[in-house]
Amino acid sequence: MTGAPLLETRGLSKTFVSRTLRSRSSVRAVDDVSFAVLAGQAVGLVGESGSGKSTVARLIARLERPTAGQILLDGRDVIAAERHRASRAYRHQVQMIFQDPFSSLNPTHTVGYHLRRSVRIHGTAGDLTRDEAVQAVLRDVRLDSVPGIADRYPHELSGGQRQRVAIARALAARPALIVADEPTSMLDVSVRVGILNLLGSLREDRDIGLLLITHDLGSARYSTSHTLVMYAGRILESGPSSDLIAAPQHPYTKLLVGSVPRRGGVRAPVDEQASGAGQPAPAAGCPFAPRCPARLSQCDTVMPGQTWLAESRWVRCHLFGPGGSRPDPLQTGREVAH
């Protein structure tokens, strides 16, 4: 898949500041995040809770304003052009699906109201009436067979049906990009694959870009072509999903992959040194250093730069850069480029 990026972030950062009468504290939730999503491409952003994934999603959806950096849509810097709030044209192009389908839908309004409102605001009915447009988008998300679905309220639906309504609401705007923030984490295991398959088919049929935010490496491998691994606000590894999960390079990615349950209920062993959650991160340097089983002296003081391992594959780790050890190409499965 080639071509100019549909969406691109450059040096995206977000610092939250808390003030009281006596003190002021800040948390850097997102730090220098840069990546791109092409039209029709599915990109996964994975990491544990608190890594900054959802903040990235809210920044791209323009629900939060970045402290620094750029968001480019079709090459246009939307932060500079729309300084105070996102335009209707931007929200028409970029839609978000939230983690909890119940809280993201107004419980006092019907399914039909939610969908008609999206159609009306973005003017996407075309030659159809609004009710016909609602029925069309319900067909797209496989809900047209549910009797009287448009007249039902969110509490009258199952979790999977509510999430399909949320997808339909996003789809009614005819977006170019969908940001899906943990879209299956609140659902029963039995319906998760159906939601991921639905997002995949819509992406392919309509050439929609998809940014899938998830803590589940299995979902990333199943649903995306490219995966970004995030920890403490930083992207630490990036590459094709199948390659990255089959042969992780950063110690944090290895920890994530090693913690995934295996068939038979047996997990891969995880180094005890890597379990130091709660240790303070260094003021400078790699944020994973306090938990890293391969920690080097410079890890606490110098943030590693990107080291390209292959085309579309890079890692931020001193083990791969100047002063670190060169990985064995036989273990990475490809020649390592420096």
Side-chain angles (χ1 to χ4, degrees):
M1 188 174 296
T2 59
L6 168 64
L7 178 108
E8 186 178 4
T9 68
R10 296 179 182 174
L12 200 62
S13 300
K14 177 63 179 180
T15 299
F16 291 100
V17 178
S18 175
R19 294 183 178 89
T20 65
L21 292 175
R22 296 185 178 182
S23 65
R24 178 182 182 276
S25 61
S26 61
V27 175
R28 198 167 181 84
V30 175
D31 193 0
D32 192 25
V33 167
S34 301
F35 64 90
V37 182
L38 305 181
Q41 182 187 28
V43 173
L45 181 60
V46 304
E48 62 192 61
S49 296
S51 61
K53 308 184 304 297
S54 292
T55 302
V56 170
R58 292 179 66 83
L59 290 171
I60 292 174
R62 303 291 311 280
L63 300 177
E64 298 281 355
R65 182 171 177 80
T67 306
Q70 296 176 296
I71 299 173
L72 286 79
L73 183 66
D74 288 327
R76 173 175 171 263
D77 186 345
V78 296
I79 301 296
E82 304 167 6
R83 189 169 299 277
H84 298 292
R85 57 178 298 179
S87 67
R88 183 172 295 182
Y90 183 83
R91 299 205 186 281
H92 168 57
Q93 290 284 87
V94 178
Q95 285 284 306
M96 184 167 175
I97 300 168
F98 295 89
Q99 180 175 359
D100 184 352
F102 191 79
S103 63
S104 67
L105 298 173
N106 190 325
T108 65
H109 291 301
T110 65
V111 169
Y113 173 89
H114 285 92
L115 302 186
R116 279 192 297 271
R117 185 172 185 271
S118 183
V119 170
R120 175 180 58 80
I121 288 174
H122 298 291
T124 55
D127 295 332
L128 303 176
T129 66
R130 287 177 187 167
D131 286 341
E132 289 172 339
V134 165
Q135 290 302 314
V137 77
L138 286 172
R139 284 195 299 272
D140 290 336
V141 297
R142 321 288 193 266
L143 283 178
D144 55 308
S145 61
V146 180
I149 182 71
D151 296 322
R152 295 191 185 188
Y153 289 86
H155 72 273
E156 298 177 303
L157 307 177
S158 68
Q161 288 173 335
R162 283 195 294 267
Q163 195 61 293
R164 286 175 185 265
V165 170
I167 295 171
R169 181 176 59 180
L171 202 63
R174 297 187 182 176
L177 174 77
I178 289 178
V179 180
D181 185 13
E182 299 274 12
T184 62
S185 65
M186 301 288 287
L187 305 179
D188 293 339
V189 174
S190 59
V191 300
R192 291 180 183 177
V193 172
I195 295 296
L196 293 175
N197 285 339
L198 173 62
L199 289 172
S201 63
L202 293 172
R203 175 184 58 80
E204 293 176 357
D205 294 344
R206 302 189 178 210
D207 204 31
I208 296 174
L210 174 66
L211 178 62
L212 178 66
I213 312 293
T214 181
H215 65 274
D216 182 6
L217 285 169
S219 295
R221 183 172 186 175
Y222 181 78
S223 304
T224 68
S225 61
H226 196 92
T227 293
L228 310 163
V229 178
M230 192 169 193
Y231 181 82
R234 287 273 195 171
I235 304 296
L236 299 183
E237 187 168 357
S238 172
S241 298
S242 56
D243 293 351
L244 186 145
I245 295 171
Q249 299 301 307
H250 195 282
Y252 175 61
T253 312
K254 291 180 179 180
L255 176 65
L256 285 180
V257 173
S259 65
V260 174
R262 298 298 197 269
R263 184 174 297 177
V266 179
R267 296 194 313 177
V270 177
D271 195 304
E272 291 295 328
Q273 296 182 56
S275 62
Q279 298 184 38
C286 177
F288 189 62
R291 299 176 62 184
C292 185
R295 186 176 184 173
L296 301 175
S297 59
Q298 63 265 44
C299 294
D300 287 338
T301 57
V302 180
M303 180 64 200
Q306 293 181 357
T307 298
W308 290 88
L309 308 177
E311 185 179 3
S312 301
R313 183 82 191 271
W314 59 261
V315 64
R316 283 184 181 269
C317 182
H318 286 299
L319 295 174
F320 298 82
S325 59
R326 181 183 176 89
D328 183 355
L330 295 178
Q331 294 193 12
T332 62
R334 63 185 74 224
E335 187 62 42
V336 179
H338 286 276

